[in-house]
Structure formats: structure tokens, C-alpha cells
Amino acid sequence: GDIILERSGGTQDNPVGRVVCFDADGLFVTNNFTQTLRCSSDINSLYLFYFLFIFYKRNKMIIRGMGSQTTGIQNLSMSQYQDLKIIVPPIEHQLKFASIAQQADKSKFGGFKSQFIEMFEEHNFNEVELKNLIDKTFPGEWGKEDIDGSGTKVIRTTNFTNEGSLNLTDVVTRNIETKKVEKKKLLK
């Protein structure tokens, strides 16, 4: 699925740059505080999501250095973020890792991080800049107020959990032009 990146937001304790993997059914877009990353065929999206999630958890100072602050909101430099070096093992290793990740108990993610490091840190796999692994990236849309609730579902950064998943219990709907929705709808 698509990876959703928090490009504006953050807190004093947690910099901007959280990621989630979109895995819901239905028509959704993201809001203007996010950036959608759609993977190329060279990388498994779950593998890349976990790589970015763990990088964020372990390197908050590096991520904070990629941001600037305006009016109390941190903004991530997309060009710096897309220059991140991603360890890219052969696709069969990526798929193996994604399978393990899907079965992992998210409440015990700490032990899972060490498994990721053990699987990949000791090998000499290629490193590729993130921008070379993304087929398409686009910001979200906010649209106009939706009075009757019949608009498009919009994922906000408030729908991100600190465990790297989506909480869709409080999704807003907004009136967004059909052509923008078609262009920016999320893929599962």
C-alpha cells in the first residue's frame, strides 16, 4: 500500500516525519500536512514502511535536522528526506521481512526492531536514495467543508498512531474536486 508521511506537524518530543502504511478499504485521500509515497516495483512497500518507521524511531535528531519550524509547526524538507539512503536487499529478503512484520505483535515492537537490525545490518546490501524507490509522491488535499458528511474521507496526521498504524475511528470528510480525488486517492 501507499506510505503516508507526516510532512508538517510534530511535537516538542517527537519531530515531524512519522509514517504509516495505508491498508484500509474504501476511498481515502490525505490532508495537506501529509505526503503520499507510492513505491516503485523495485521495493516492497511494507519493507520500505518498516525501514522508514524504524529509522524515525532510532534517528529522531537526524529527522529533526531535516525540518524547519514556522508558527509552531515543524515542516519536513522533502528534498532532504528523499535523499535518505535505504538499504535495499534482494526482493525475496524484503518479502521475508514483510511476512515476519505482518505477524509481529505490534505491542512488542521493541523486540521486533532488533530482529530487523539483525536481518539486515550485517549484510552489504545496496543503499539507494529514497527518491529512486518512489514512483509517485504527492501532497494531500483539504478541500472545503462538508456539511452533510457525503464527501471524501481524508486521513490527517491525527489518525497516525505512534506505533506506525492508522486509527480511522475519527476520519473527517471534505468536499474535494473529483479530478483531485482521482489523482490523489490512496492505494491499499
Side-chain angles (χ1 to χ4, degrees):
D2 287 337
I3 297 169
I4 308 170
L5 170 67
E6 174 191 39
R7 70 177 194 174
S8 293
T11 66
Q12 190 172 29
D13 296 329
N14 293 303
V16 66
R18 295 178 299 160
V19 291
V20 293
C21 190
F22 181 73
D23 62 356
D25 289 319
L27 180 62
F28 289 85
V29 297
T30 61
N31 76 349
N32 52 345
F33 280 47
T34 62
Q35 188 83 12
T36 300
L37 307 176
R38 189 161 292 156
C39 295
S40 73
S41 60
D42 297 330
I43 193 153
N44 176 273
S45 64
L46 267 179
Y47 169 82
L48 181 59
F49 158 71
Y50 281 111
F51 187 97
L52 295 172
F53 179 78
I54 293 167
F55 183 87
Y56 174 84
K57 289 291 194 183
R58 294 187 74 204
N59 299 285
K60 288 185 178 183
M61 292 304 292
I62 292 171
I63 295 287
R64 194 175 297 281
M66 293 180 190
S68 62
Q69 189 150 345
T70 56
T71 63
I73 296 176
Q74 299 170 39
N75 296 301
L76 188 65
S77 165
M78 287 307 298
S79 61
Q80 284 183 314
Y81 190 80
Q82 290 187 58
D83 285 342
L84 277 177
K85 302 280 192 214
I86 308 298
I87 298 170
V88 183
I91 194 71
E92 60 270 10
H93 291 321
Q94 295 174 41
L95 294 171
K96 179 180 175 186
F97 177 78
S99 174
I100 292 168
Q102 288 178 303
Q103 297 170 31
D105 178 0
K106 300 298 189 273
S107 66
K108 297 177 183 171
F109 202 77
F112 182 59
K113 282 193 289 190
S114 66
Q115 190 170 10
F116 182 92
I117 293 163
E118 289 168 13
M119 282 181 78
F120 300 116
E121 200 166 57
E122 300 297 319
H123 296 84
N124 280 333
F125 295 127
N126 291 335
E127 286 188 350
V128 178
E129 289 180 340
L130 176 60
K131 64 185 164 204
N132 295 319
L133 298 170
I134 303 298
D135 268 348
K136 188 175 186 182
T137 182
F138 49 88
E141 286 291 332
W142 189 232
K144 296 178 181 172
E145 185 177 1
D146 177 24
I147 308 239
D148 65 3
S150 64
T152 303
K153 295 175 187 172
V154 179
I155 296 173
R156 302 168 291 169
T157 58
T158 55
N159 299 116
F160 289 30
T161 70
N162 289 333
E163 292 78 39
S165 59
L166 283 172
N167 178 348
L168 299 177
T169 57
D170 185 28
V171 173
V172 300
T173 58
R174 301 286 293 179
N175 284 325
I176 302 171
E177 294 175 43
T178 303
K179 67 180 182 179
K180 289 183 178 180
V181 172
E182 274 305 308
K183 186 178 175 183
K184 297 185 176 190
K185 67 183 175 184
L186 294 169
L187 299 181
K188 182 176 180 180

PDB file of all heavy atoms in Angstrom, residues 134-163:
ATOM      1  N   ILE A 134      10.665   5.532  -5.261  1.00  0.00           N
ATOM      2  CA  ILE A 134       9.298   6.038  -5.269  1.00  0.00           C
ATOM      3  C   ILE A 134       8.872   6.327  -6.704  1.00  0.00           C
ATOM      4  O   ILE A 134       9.545   7.048  -7.431  1.00  0.00           O
ATOM      5  CB  ILE A 134       9.204   7.339  -4.422  1.00  0.00           C
ATOM      6  CG1 ILE A 134       9.674   7.105  -2.991  1.00  0.00           C
ATOM      7  CG2 ILE A 134       7.805   7.934  -4.476  1.00  0.00           C
ATOM      8  CD1 ILE A 134       8.863   6.093  -2.220  1.00  0.00           C
ATOM      9  N   ASP A 135       7.757   5.731  -7.126  1.00  0.00           N
ATOM     10  CA  ASP A 135       7.209   6.010  -8.456  1.00  0.00           C
ATOM     11  C   ASP A 135       6.473   7.330  -8.475  1.00  0.00           C
ATOM     12  O   ASP A 135       6.498   8.043  -9.470  1.00  0.00           O
ATOM     13  CB  ASP A 135       6.223   4.913  -8.872  1.00  0.00           C
ATOM     14  CG  ASP A 135       6.884   3.796  -9.644  1.00  0.00           C
ATOM     15  OD1 ASP A 135       8.051   3.954 -10.068  1.00  0.00           O
ATOM     16  OD2 ASP A 135       6.240   2.752  -9.824  1.00  0.00           O
ATOM     17  N   LYS A 136       5.810   7.626  -7.391  1.00  0.00           N
ATOM     18  CA  LYS A 136       4.975   8.810  -7.349  1.00  0.00           C
ATOM     19  C   LYS A 136       4.902   9.315  -5.918  1.00  0.00           C
ATOM     20  O   LYS A 136       4.828   8.519  -4.979  1.00  0.00           O
ATOM     21  CB  LYS A 136       3.572   8.430  -7.846  1.00  0.00           C
ATOM     22  CG  LYS A 136       2.620   9.558  -8.040  1.00  0.00           C
ATOM     23  CD  LYS A 136       1.322   9.018  -8.641  1.00  0.00           C
ATOM     24  CE  LYS A 136       0.386  10.144  -8.998  1.00  0.00           C
ATOM     25  NZ  LYS A 136      -0.883   9.643  -9.527  1.00  0.00           N
ATOM     26  N   THR A 137       4.937  10.617  -5.749  1.00  0.00           N
ATOM     27  CA  THR A 137       4.739  11.221  -4.436  1.00  0.00           C
ATOM     28  C   THR A 137       3.913  12.482  -4.634  1.00  0.00           C
ATOM     29  O   THR A 137       4.088  13.195  -5.624  1.00  0.00           O
ATOM     30  CB  THR A 137       6.084  11.513  -3.728  1.00  0.00           C
ATOM     31  OG1 THR A 137       5.810  12.062  -2.435  1.00  0.00           O
ATOM     32  CG2 THR A 137       6.980  12.424  -4.504  1.00  0.00           C
ATOM     33  N   PHE A 138       2.975  12.687  -3.715  1.00  0.00           N
ATOM     34  CA  PHE A 138       2.103  13.857  -3.849  1.00  0.00           C
ATOM     35  C   PHE A 138       1.583  14.271  -2.482  1.00  0.00           C
ATOM     36  O   PHE A 138       1.402  13.442  -1.602  1.00  0.00           O
ATOM     37  CB  PHE A 138       0.945  13.583  -4.819  1.00  0.00           C
ATOM     38  CG  PHE A 138       0.201  12.301  -4.562  1.00  0.00           C
ATOM     39  CD1 PHE A 138      -0.870  12.268  -3.680  1.00  0.00           C
ATOM     40  CD2 PHE A 138       0.577  11.137  -5.200  1.00  0.00           C
ATOM     41  CE1 PHE A 138      -1.550  11.082  -3.445  1.00  0.00           C
ATOM     42  CE2 PHE A 138      -0.100   9.944  -4.976  1.00  0.00           C
ATOM     43  CZ  PHE A 138      -1.170   9.922  -4.090  1.00  0.00           C
ATOM     44  N   PRO A 139       1.354  15.588  -2.332  1.00  0.00           N
ATOM     45  CA  PRO A 139       0.791  16.079  -1.081  1.00  0.00           C
ATOM     46  C   PRO A 139      -0.706  15.786  -1.032  1.00  0.00           C
ATOM     47  O   PRO A 139      -1.323  15.455  -2.049  1.00  0.00           O
ATOM     48  CB  PRO A 139       1.056  17.584  -1.145  1.00  0.00           C
ATOM     49  CG  PRO A 139       1.060  17.889  -2.599  1.00  0.00           C
ATOM     50  CD  PRO A 139       1.642  16.662  -3.271  1.00  0.00           C
ATOM     51  N   GLY A 140      -1.278  15.944   0.139  1.00  0.00           N
ATOM     52  CA  GLY A 140      -2.707  15.703   0.306  1.00  0.00           C
ATOM     53  C   GLY A 140      -3.549  16.897  -0.106  1.00  0.00           C
ATOM     54  O   GLY A 140      -3.045  17.887  -0.638  1.00  0.00           O
ATOM     55  N   GLU A 141      -4.822  16.773   0.133  1.00  0.00           N
ATOM     56  CA  GLU A 141      -5.810  17.804  -0.193  1.00  0.00           C
ATOM     57  C   GLU A 141      -6.667  18.045   1.042  1.00  0.00           C
ATOM     58  O   GLU A 141      -6.944  17.133   1.799  1.00  0.00           O
ATOM     59  CB  GLU A 141      -6.728  17.347  -1.329  1.00  0.00           C
ATOM     60  CG  GLU A 141      -6.099  17.340  -2.677  1.00  0.00           C
ATOM     61  CD  GLU A 141      -5.804  18.734  -3.203  1.00  0.00           C
ATOM     62  OE1 GLU A 141      -6.503  19.696  -2.838  1.00  0.00           O
ATOM     63  OE2 GLU A 141      -4.837  18.855  -3.971  1.00  0.00           O
ATOM     64  N   TRP A 142      -7.149  19.249   1.199  1.00  0.00           N
ATOM     65  CA  TRP A 142      -8.036  19.545   2.311  1.00  0.00           C
ATOM     66  C   TRP A 142      -9.448  19.841   1.826  1.00  0.00           C
ATOM     67  O   TRP A 142     -10.421  19.470   2.450  1.00  0.00           O
ATOM     68  CB  TRP A 142      -7.488  20.689   3.152  1.00  0.00           C
ATOM     69  CG  TRP A 142      -8.244  20.890   4.427  1.00  0.00           C
ATOM     70  CD1 TRP A 142      -8.780  22.054   4.876  1.00  0.00           C
ATOM     71  CD2 TRP A 142      -8.556  19.915   5.421  1.00  0.00           C
ATOM     72  NE1 TRP A 142      -9.407  21.863   6.081  1.00  0.00           N
ATOM     73  CE2 TRP A 142      -9.289  20.548   6.449  1.00  0.00           C
ATOM     74  CE3 TRP A 142      -8.312  18.552   5.552  1.00  0.00           C
ATOM     75  CZ2 TRP A 142      -9.756  19.893   7.582  1.00  0.00           C
ATOM     76  CZ3 TRP A 142      -8.782  17.881   6.679  1.00  0.00           C
ATOM     77  CH2 TRP A 142      -9.487  18.550   7.677  1.00  0.00           C
ATOM     78  N   GLY A 143      -9.595  20.447   0.703  1.00  0.00           N
ATOM     79  CA  GLY A 143     -10.919  20.696   0.165  1.00  0.00           C
ATOM     80  C   GLY A 143     -11.716  21.703   0.975  1.00  0.00           C
ATOM     81  O   GLY A 143     -11.165  22.505   1.722  1.00  0.00           O
ATOM     82  N   LYS A 144     -13.026  21.616   0.845  1.00  0.00           N
ATOM     83  CA  LYS A 144     -13.934  22.549   1.517  1.00  0.00           C
ATOM     84  C   LYS A 144     -14.761  21.807   2.553  1.00  0.00           C
ATOM     85  O   LYS A 144     -14.877  20.582   2.511  1.00  0.00           O
ATOM     86  CB  LYS A 144     -14.846  23.220   0.491  1.00  0.00           C
ATOM     87  CG  LYS A 144     -14.083  24.075  -0.503  1.00  0.00           C
ATOM     88  CD  LYS A 144     -15.008  24.694  -1.524  1.00  0.00           C
ATOM     89  CE  LYS A 144     -14.169  25.521  -2.506  1.00  0.00           C
ATOM     90  NZ  LYS A 144     -14.944  25.992  -3.626  1.00  0.00           N
ATOM     91  N   GLU A 145     -15.358  22.578   3.429  1.00  0.00           N
ATOM     92  CA  GLU A 145     -16.195  21.998   4.487  1.00  0.00           C
ATOM     93  C   GLU A 145     -17.282  21.127   3.878  1.00  0.00           C
ATOM     94  O   GLU A 145     -17.897  21.461   2.873  1.00  0.00           O
ATOM     95  CB  GLU A 145     -16.817  23.119   5.319  1.00  0.00           C
ATOM     96  CG  GLU A 145     -17.593  22.603   6.492  1.00  0.00           C
ATOM     97  CD  GLU A 145     -18.161  23.711   7.363  1.00  0.00           C
ATOM     98  OE1 GLU A 145     -17.963  24.900   7.043  1.00  0.00           O
ATOM     99  OE2 GLU A 145     -18.801  23.380   8.356  1.00  0.00           O
ATOM    100  N   ASP A 146     -17.515  19.983   4.511  1.00  0.00           N
ATOM    101  CA  ASP A 146     -18.506  19.015   4.060  1.00  0.00           C
ATOM    102  C   ASP A 146     -19.659  19.028   5.064  1.00  0.00           C
ATOM    103  O   ASP A 146     -19.552  18.462   6.142  1.00  0.00           O
ATOM    104  CB  ASP A 146     -17.858  17.629   3.975  1.00  0.00           C
ATOM    105  CG  ASP A 146     -18.827  16.541   3.591  1.00  0.00           C
ATOM    106  OD1 ASP A 146     -19.848  16.862   2.961  1.00  0.00           O
ATOM    107  OD2 ASP A 146     -18.564  15.377   3.925  1.00  0.00           O
ATOM    108  N   ILE A 147     -20.730  19.674   4.715  1.00  0.00           N
ATOM    109  CA  ILE A 147     -21.850  19.877   5.643  1.00  0.00           C
ATOM    110  C   ILE A 147     -22.631  18.588   5.887  1.00  0.00           C
ATOM    111  O   ILE A 147     -22.988  18.284   7.014  1.00  0.00           O
ATOM    112  CB  ILE A 147     -22.789  20.983   5.109  1.00  0.00           C
ATOM    113  CG1 ILE A 147     -21.970  22.198   4.804  1.00  0.00           C
ATOM    114  CG2 ILE A 147     -23.971  21.196   6.032  1.00  0.00           C
ATOM    115  CD1 ILE A 147     -22.245  23.460   5.456  1.00  0.00           C
ATOM    116  N   ASP A 148     -22.885  17.812   4.841  1.00  0.00           N
ATOM    117  CA  ASP A 148     -23.766  16.650   5.003  1.00  0.00           C
ATOM    118  C   ASP A 148     -23.037  15.323   5.218  1.00  0.00           C
ATOM    119  O   ASP A 148     -23.656  14.280   5.341  1.00  0.00           O
ATOM    120  CB  ASP A 148     -24.722  16.537   3.808  1.00  0.00           C
ATOM    121  CG  ASP A 148     -24.008  16.244   2.494  1.00  0.00           C
ATOM    122  OD1 ASP A 148     -22.775  16.066   2.493  1.00  0.00           O
ATOM    123  OD2 ASP A 148     -24.700  16.193   1.455  1.00  0.00           O
ATOM    124  N   GLY A 149     -21.695  15.332   5.254  1.00  0.00           N
ATOM    125  CA  GLY A 149     -20.940  14.101   5.527  1.00  0.00           C
ATOM    126  C   GLY A 149     -20.816  13.170   4.342  1.00  0.00           C
ATOM    127  O   GLY A 149     -20.418  12.014   4.502  1.00  0.00           O
ATOM    128  N   SER A 150     -21.141  13.631   3.144  1.00  0.00           N
ATOM    129  CA  SER A 150     -21.090  12.760   1.966  1.00  0.00           C
ATOM    130  C   SER A 150     -19.793  12.925   1.174  1.00  0.00           C
ATOM    131  O   SER A 150     -19.642  12.320   0.121  1.00  0.00           O
ATOM    132  CB  SER A 150     -22.283  13.063   1.045  1.00  0.00           C
ATOM    133  OG  SER A 150     -22.177  14.394   0.545  1.00  0.00           O
ATOM    134  N   GLY A 151     -18.859  13.700   1.688  1.00  0.00           N
ATOM    135  CA  GLY A 151     -17.623  13.975   0.962  1.00  0.00           C
ATOM    136  C   GLY A 151     -16.625  12.831   1.019  1.00  0.00           C
ATOM    137  O   GLY A 151     -16.932  11.715   1.449  1.00  0.00           O
ATOM    138  N   THR A 152     -15.420  13.127   0.616  1.00  0.00           N
ATOM    139  CA  THR A 152     -14.326  12.151   0.577  1.00  0.00           C
ATOM    140  C   THR A 152     -13.678  12.041   1.946  1.00  0.00           C
ATOM    141  O   THR A 152     -13.448  13.049   2.621  1.00  0.00           O
ATOM    142  CB  THR A 152     -13.276  12.599  -0.459  1.00  0.00           C
ATOM    143  OG1 THR A 152     -13.925  12.745  -1.729  1.00  0.00           O
ATOM    144  CG2 THR A 152     -12.155  11.589  -0.573  1.00  0.00           C
ATOM    145  N   LYS A 153     -13.361  10.812   2.359  1.00  0.00           N
ATOM    146  CA  LYS A 153     -12.675  10.595   3.631  1.00  0.00           C
ATOM    147  C   LYS A 153     -11.234  11.092   3.513  1.00  0.00           C
ATOM    148  O   LYS A 153     -10.536  10.756   2.554  1.00  0.00           O
ATOM    149  CB  LYS A 153     -12.681   9.120   4.004  1.00  0.00           C
ATOM    150  CG  LYS A 153     -14.061   8.574   4.265  1.00  0.00           C
ATOM    151  CD  LYS A 153     -14.006   7.085   4.515  1.00  0.00           C
ATOM    152  CE  LYS A 153     -15.399   6.500   4.599  1.00  0.00           C
ATOM    153  NZ  LYS A 153     -15.359   5.031   4.650  1.00  0.00           N
ATOM    154  N   VAL A 154     -10.808  11.869   4.507  1.00  0.00           N
ATOM    155  CA  VAL A 154      -9.476  12.462   4.489  1.00  0.00           C
ATOM    156  C   VAL A 154      -8.707  12.017   5.736  1.00  0.00           C
ATOM    157  O   VAL A 154      -9.158  12.226   6.864  1.00  0.00           O
ATOM    158  CB  VAL A 154      -9.548  14.011   4.442  1.00  0.00           C
ATOM    159  CG1 VAL A 154      -8.151  14.609   4.456  1.00  0.00           C
ATOM    160  CG2 VAL A 154     -10.307  14.474   3.209  1.00  0.00           C
ATOM    161  N   ILE A 155      -7.544  11.412   5.515  1.00  0.00           N
ATOM    162  CA  ILE A 155      -6.684  10.983   6.624  1.00  0.00           C
ATOM    163  C   ILE A 155      -5.809  12.156   7.025  1.00  0.00           C
ATOM    164  O   ILE A 155      -5.158  12.779   6.194  1.00  0.00           O
ATOM    165  CB  ILE A 155      -5.818   9.773   6.207  1.00  0.00           C
ATOM    166  CG1 ILE A 155      -6.732   8.584   5.909  1.00  0.00           C
ATOM    167  CG2 ILE A 155      -4.801   9.442   7.298  1.00  0.00           C
ATOM    168  CD1 ILE A 155      -6.018   7.391   5.336  1.00  0.00           C
ATOM    169  N   ARG A 156      -5.809  12.450   8.333  1.00  0.00           N
ATOM    170  CA  ARG A 156      -4.983  13.522   8.899  1.00  0.00           C
ATOM    171  C   ARG A 156      -3.885  12.892   9.755  1.00  0.00           C
ATOM    172  O   ARG A 156      -3.938  11.713  10.079  1.00  0.00           O
ATOM    173  CB  ARG A 156      -5.842  14.437   9.778  1.00  0.00           C
ATOM    174  CG  ARG A 156      -6.999  15.065   9.025  1.00  0.00           C
ATOM    175  CD  ARG A 156      -7.982  15.720   9.962  1.00  0.00           C
ATOM    176  NE  ARG A 156      -8.671  14.688  10.737  1.00  0.00           N
ATOM    177  CZ  ARG A 156      -9.436  14.928  11.787  1.00  0.00           C
ATOM    178  NH1 ARG A 156      -9.614  16.142  12.224  1.00  0.00           N
ATOM    179  NH2 ARG A 156     -10.024  13.941  12.411  1.00  0.00           N
ATOM    180  N   THR A 157      -2.915  13.685  10.131  1.00  0.00           N
ATOM    181  CA  THR A 157      -1.848  13.155  10.995  1.00  0.00           C
ATOM    182  C   THR A 157      -2.386  12.768  12.359  1.00  0.00           C
ATOM    183  O   THR A 157      -1.770  11.967  13.048  1.00  0.00           O
ATOM    184  CB  THR A 157      -0.688  14.164  11.130  1.00  0.00           C
ATOM    185  OG1 THR A 157      -1.187  15.391  11.656  1.00  0.00           O
ATOM    186  CG2 THR A 157      -0.004  14.398   9.800  1.00  0.00           C
ATOM    187  N   THR A 158      -3.553  13.286  12.742  1.00  0.00           N
ATOM    188  CA  THR A 158      -4.171  12.858  13.999  1.00  0.00           C
ATOM    189  C   THR A 158      -4.656  11.415  13.904  1.00  0.00           C
ATOM    190  O   THR A 158      -4.972  10.809  14.926  1.00  0.00           O
ATOM    191  CB  THR A 158      -5.352  13.780  14.386  1.00  0.00           C
ATOM    192  OG1 THR A 158      -6.284  13.824  13.298  1.00  0.00           O
ATOM    193  CG2 THR A 158      -4.869  15.185  14.716  1.00  0.00           C
ATOM    194  N   ASN A 159      -4.708  10.861  12.708  1.00  0.00           N
ATOM    195  CA  ASN A 159      -5.068   9.460  12.525  1.00  0.00           C
ATOM    196  C   ASN A 159      -3.857   8.536  12.593  1.00  0.00           C
ATOM    197  O   ASN A 159      -3.999   7.318  12.490  1.00  0.00           O
ATOM    198  CB  ASN A 159      -5.790   9.257  11.188  1.00  0.00           C
ATOM    199  CG  ASN A 159      -7.078  10.024  11.076  1.00  0.00           C
ATOM    200  OD1 ASN A 159      -7.209  10.906  10.240  1.00  0.00           O
ATOM    201  ND2 ASN A 159      -8.049   9.716  11.933  1.00  0.00           N
ATOM    202  N   PHE A 160      -2.648   9.094  12.749  1.00  0.00           N
ATOM    203  CA  PHE A 160      -1.429   8.290  12.893  1.00  0.00           C
ATOM    204  C   PHE A 160      -1.298   7.874  14.359  1.00  0.00           C
ATOM    205  O   PHE A 160      -1.510   8.687  15.255  1.00  0.00           O
ATOM    206  CB  PHE A 160      -0.175   9.109  12.571  1.00  0.00           C
ATOM    207  CG  PHE A 160       0.031   9.466  11.124  1.00  0.00           C
ATOM    208  CD1 PHE A 160      -1.017   9.659  10.251  1.00  0.00           C
ATOM    209  CD2 PHE A 160       1.308   9.645  10.646  1.00  0.00           C
ATOM    210  CE1 PHE A 160      -0.808  10.010   8.922  1.00  0.00           C
ATOM    211  CE2 PHE A 160       1.534   9.999   9.327  1.00  0.00           C
ATOM    212  CZ  PHE A 160       0.477  10.175   8.463  1.00  0.00           C
ATOM    213  N   THR A 161      -0.919   6.636  14.601  1.00  0.00           N
ATOM    214  CA  THR A 161      -0.560   6.242  15.962  1.00  0.00           C
ATOM    215  C   THR A 161       0.958   6.290  16.079  1.00  0.00           C
ATOM    216  O   THR A 161       1.670   6.271  15.072  1.00  0.00           O
ATOM    217  CB  THR A 161      -1.033   4.814  16.303  1.00  0.00           C
ATOM    218  OG1 THR A 161      -0.249   3.881  15.543  1.00  0.00           O
ATOM    219  CG2 THR A 161      -2.524   4.618  16.000  1.00  0.00           C
ATOM    220  N   ASN A 162       1.462   6.325  17.298  1.00  0.00           N
ATOM    221  CA  ASN A 162       2.910   6.310  17.494  1.00  0.00           C
ATOM    222  C   ASN A 162       3.510   4.936  17.218  1.00  0.00           C
ATOM    223  O   ASN A 162       4.721   4.779  17.221  1.00  0.00           O
ATOM    224  CB  ASN A 162       3.265   6.787  18.902  1.00  0.00           C
ATOM    225  CG  ASN A 162       3.028   8.270  19.059  1.00  0.00           C
ATOM    226  OD1 ASN A 162       3.079   9.022  18.083  1.00  0.00           O
ATOM    227  ND2 ASN A 162       2.754   8.699  20.270  1.00  0.00           N
ATOM    228  N   GLU A 163       2.656   3.948  16.988  1.00  0.00           N
ATOM    229  CA  GLU A 163       3.125   2.596  16.672  1.00  0.00           C
ATOM    230  C   GLU A 163       3.181   2.360  15.177  1.00  0.00           C
ATOM    231  O   GLU A 163       3.422   1.250  14.723  1.00  0.00           O
ATOM    232  CB  GLU A 163       2.216   1.544  17.329  1.00  0.00           C
ATOM    233  CG  GLU A 163       2.305   1.516  18.848  1.00  0.00           C
ATOM    234  CD  GLU A 163       1.503   2.665  19.488  1.00  0.00           C
ATOM    235  OE1 GLU A 163       0.405   2.988  18.985  1.00  0.00           O
ATOM    236  OE2 GLU A 163       1.991   3.234  20.469  1.00  0.00           O
TER     237      GLU A 163
END
